[in-house]
Amino acid sequence: MTQTLAALPGAARRLCLSRRNGEICTREDGHRGLHHRTGGRLLWSDLQADPPACPAAGTPADPAPLLADGFPGGRAVCPVCWAFVDRDGDGLIEPHDSWRGDESRGEANRRREWFNAYGW
């Protein structure tokens, strides 16, 4: 039986996830050659990739709505990279690296559940 990429174990880390102009590389992690976004014409090298730090740090953000289990725990959704990030005492997004995939299958499942419940 064929499974979707999201259903495969560790799927959150199977893609390269390098970024260029905010677009995420959709080639397999550890690939050779240029980065590429499936469905687009954008190609880039590691030297042309966006820096890991997200440019949204310091922008105002409200806490994201919570799922029944409390996820995402008072963090905000970054409007640039879509990561769940902490806010400082003034309600500003703290410095963070752009979202590059979830750390675990469990985190990926909770993230998917949140976006299905509250949208993009």
Side-chain angles (χ1 to χ4, degrees):
M1 179 197 306
T2 304
Q3 292 181 312
T4 64
L5 181 64
L8 296 172
R13 291 292 187 177
R14 289 198 164 182
L15 298 178
C16 170
L17 301 176
S18 172
R19 292 178 181 265
R20 174 72 175 158
N21 297 330
E23 295 289 340
I24 301 172
C25 178
T26 53
R27 295 186 69 190
E28 188 171 318
D29 192 28
H31 66 85
R32 291 183 176 181
L34 294 174
H35 298 284
H36 177 255
R37 173 75 182 171
T38 300
R41 293 186 225 171
L42 185 62
L43 297 170
W44 67 95
S45 70
D46 286 338
L47 293 175
Q48 297 167 315
D50 294 346
C54 180
T59 60
D62 293 324
L66 300 176
L67 293 177
D69 67 359
F71 182 83
R75 296 177 289 172
V77 177
C78 176
V80 174
C81 72
W82 300 99
F84 289 107
V85 294
D86 291 325
R87 302 173 325 129
D88 65 17
D90 295 323
L92 304 177
I93 292 177
E94 291 190 349
H96 62 281
D97 284 349
S98 290
W99 182 80
R100 298 255 198 282
D102 297 301
E103 295 297 324
S104 69
R105 179 78 261 157
E107 178 80 7
N109 290 342
R110 294 173 80 202
R111 180 182 174 83
R112 183 176 59 251
E113 182 181 347
W114 189 93
F115 279 103
N116 283 337
Y118 297 105
W120 297 84

